[in-house]
Amino acid sequence: MSDVSFEKLLQLAQQRTLDGKGGLAASITKMCLQPDTNLTPEETHLTFEILRELIGEVEMEVRRYVADYLAHRDDVPSDMLEFLANDTIHVAYPILVHSQQLTDEFLVDLIDRKQRGHHMAVAERPNLSTLITNALIQINDDMVSGKLLENPGAQITDENMDILVERSLDNVQLQTKLLSRKDIPNSIAQRMFVWVGEATRQYILRNYKIDEELANAAIYDAVANAQQEGEEVDASPVSQPPKDKLFGAITQSISDRLYQVLMTQGQQDFISEFAYSTGLTIAVTEMVFDVAQVNTVAIAARAIGFSENQFRDLLKRFLAEKYEDYEDRQLVQKAVSYFNKVSPSKADTYLENWRQSSGSIGKTLH
C-alpha cells in the first residue's frame, strides 16, 4: 500500500482506544479506502474486518463518513453494505444512491420495509430496472413517484406509466414531471391534454406532436375528422335555458335528470342533454363520452354527480354488446376504480377546463 503500511494498520487496530472507536473508524477509512490508496487483498480484508467490528458502535456522523467512502467501491463486504443501507437515511443515503453492489432483490425488500427517505434515495439511483421502479410506484407515494420521474435512467413499463398518468390527474407536479421525460410518447401527452390546465396544454403543444385540430377543439379532433368526412358539425355551444329552469320543472338534480334521460331516451339524447346542461359543444361532448377514453367518461360522470351504480349503467349503455368483453378484461373495474378516485371538485375543475378551452359558456354544477 502506498500511503500507509500494513504494520501501521495493525498498530492502529491495537490502539483503538486512543482516539475512541469513532476516531479509529474515520482514520482507517481515510487512510485505507481513498481511491488512490493501493491495498493488497490481505490489507483490504483487514481494513474491512476492523470496520466491521467498529461500524455498529460509532456515532451516526462517523457511520455517514464511512458510508461516503464505501458507496463508490465495488469490493465492500455485503453484510457491511447492507447494514449501512438499512441505517438511518442520513447514513444510508450515499449507499442507496451510488453503490452498484446492492442487488435489485435487496432493494425491493428494503423498499417494502423502509419509509419515504429510503424510497426517495433509491429513486435517485442511475439505471433503475423495471423491478425497482415497479416496487417504488406500487407504494403509491406521489413524492417518490415524482423523484422517480426526474430520473432519466429509470426504466418504467407502459403499465406503470399508465398508473402514473392516472395519478397525475389531480397532481400538477406529477403532470409536469411526466411531460418533462424524454420517453413520454405523443399518445400519453395527447391523453393528458384532456384534463391538464391551460399552461400545461401550451407546454404540450410546444413539445409534442399534437394534432392542430385537437388543440383548436381543446380536447379531441372530432370536428376535424367529421369535416374531413364531409359532415357538418356544430361546434358552437348549446344554448342555455333560463337559470331558474335549468334543472327542470321539478326539483330534480342534474345527475337524476341526466340519468333518467340515459335510461329512458338513449345515448344520443343523453349526449345532447349533457351538452345542454354543461355548456360544452356537442362535438366535444361526443368525444368526452367516447368509451375508448374511459378516463374522460369517468370525469364527466363524476362532475355531474353520478353514483358508482349510475356510472356502471352509463358504461353498459355506451359499450352495449362490448360491455361483457370489457368486464372480462377487467376494464370496467379499472374504469370504476378511476371514477371513485376522482373527487367531484376535481372533476368540476376538468369540466371547466374543457369549457374554457373549447370556447364554451362555463357554469357551476355543484
Side-chain angles (χ1 to χ4, degrees):
M1 54 194 298
S2 58
D3 298 326
V4 58
S5 68
F6 186 45
E7 290 76 15
K8 179 63 175 176
L9 187 60
L10 289 171
Q11 184 180 7
L12 282 171
Q14 294 167 354
Q15 296 178 353
R16 69 173 67 176
T17 56
L18 294 179
D19 295 321
K21 295 178 181 179
L24 175 62
S27 296
I28 289 179
T29 299
K30 183 176 182 180
M31 287 191 299
C32 301
L33 299 180
Q34 292 188 95
D36 59 348
T37 302
N38 298 315
L39 298 179
T40 67
E42 184 180 15
E43 291 166 341
T44 300
H45 176 75
L46 177 60
T47 299
F48 286 131
E49 283 298 313
I50 294 173
L51 289 178
R52 181 184 280 111
E53 290 185 22
L54 298 175
I55 198 66
E57 302 178 36
V58 298
E59 58 269 27
M60 181 176 64
E61 289 303 325
V62 176
R63 300 198 304 277
R64 171 57 189 257
Y65 183 85
V66 173
D68 282 329
Y69 274 90
L70 299 186
H72 299 279
R73 296 182 66 93
D74 60 6
D75 58 353
V76 183
S78 59
D79 61 330
M80 185 181 301
L81 206 60
E82 292 175 5
F83 175 83
L84 292 170
N86 280 289
D87 207 330
T88 177
I89 187 56
H90 177 67
V91 175
Y93 179 82
I95 301 293
L96 294 176
V97 174
H98 300 295
S99 178
Q100 296 304 301
Q101 289 186 247
L102 298 177
T103 66
D104 283 1
E105 291 72 18
F106 170 79
L107 289 169
V108 168
D109 179 66
L110 180 136
I111 290 168
D112 186 54
R113 293 182 289 100
K114 293 294 185 177
Q115 300 301 315
R116 176 181 287 170
H118 287 70
H119 299 159
M120 296 284 280
V122 172
E124 291 185 43
R125 291 173 62 84
N127 304 316
L128 283 175
S129 71
T130 56
L131 185 66
I132 301 300
T133 58
N134 180 69
L136 289 171
I137 290 168
Q138 293 304 314
I139 62 178
N140 197 21
D141 185 324
D142 284 349
M143 286 188 65
V144 175
S145 295
K147 178 64 69 174
L148 188 63
L149 288 169
E150 292 174 352
N151 184 347
Q155 302 173 37
I156 304 175
T157 64
D158 291 344
E159 181 179 359
N160 278 325
M161 196 66 79
D162 283 343
I163 291 173
L164 293 177
V165 169
E166 290 187 6
R167 287 184 191 167
S168 78
L169 189 126
D170 57 356
N171 188 317
V172 175
Q173 289 186 337
L174 274 187
Q175 293 171 11
T176 301
K177 291 175 180 180
L178 272 164
L179 293 168
S180 296
R181 286 185 66 88
K182 301 298 184 183
D183 56 351
I184 293 295
N186 290 320
S187 59
I188 284 184
Q190 181 166 320
R191 176 180 165 193
M192 293 176 65
F193 192 85
V194 175
W195 66 69
V196 297
E198 186 60 28
T200 306
R201 282 182 180 163
Q202 293 304 315
Y203 178 88
I204 291 174
L205 292 175
R206 290 194 303 269
N207 293 277
Y208 291 87
K209 294 181 180 180
I210 300 298
D211 187 274
E212 184 177 356
E213 290 296 335
L214 179 145
N216 292 335
I219 311 296
Y220 299 99
D221 58 358
V223 175
N225 289 341
Q227 288 175 340
Q228 289 171 2
E229 294 169 3
E231 299 177 6
E232 182 178 353
V233 177
D234 179 10
S236 61
V238 177
S239 59
Q240 300 296 300
K243 186 175 180 180
D244 61 346
K245 294 184 179 180
L246 183 61
F247 299 103
I250 59 175
T251 58
Q252 192 174 24
S253 71
I254 274 190
S255 61
D256 289 342
R257 181 162 55 83
L258 286 172
Y259 182 69
Q260 182 179 18
V261 171
L262 174 70
M263 300 305 289
T264 60
Q265 297 174 233
Q267 181 174 327
Q268 194 54 52
D269 283 348
F270 174 83
I271 292 290
S272 298
E273 189 72 12
F274 185 93
Y276 177 84
S277 300
T278 62
L280 293 181
T281 66
I282 289 291
V284 169
T285 303
E286 286 177 343
M287 296 311 293
V288 165
F289 283 96
D290 179 357
V291 289
Q293 301 282 347
V294 292
N295 287 356
T296 61
V297 178
I299 292 169
R302 178 62 88 180
I304 59 175
F306 268 17
S307 67
E308 179 181 319
N309 287 336
Q310 288 173 326
F311 176 56
R312 287 180 181 273
D313 286 340
L314 186 153
L315 290 177
K316 288 178 182 178
R317 293 287 173 147
F318 276 75
L319 287 168
E321 67 274 5
K322 296 180 181 179
Y323 183 83
E324 289 188 6
D325 177 58
Y326 269 55
E327 197 165 41
D328 290 342
R329 294 159 55 197
Q330 300 297 309
L331 295 178
V332 170
Q333 187 55 46
K334 182 178 180 181
V336 171
S337 297
Y338 190 81
F339 169 84
N340 287 326
K341 186 172 69 172
V342 181
S343 67
S345 61
K346 289 295 182 182
D348 275 346
T349 299
Y350 308 134
L351 188 60
E352 180 62 25
N353 285 340
W354 296 343
R355 276 194 293 258
Q356 291 177 357
S357 57
S358 62
S360 299
I361 300 171
K363 179 173 65 62
T364 302
L365 291 181
H366 296 290

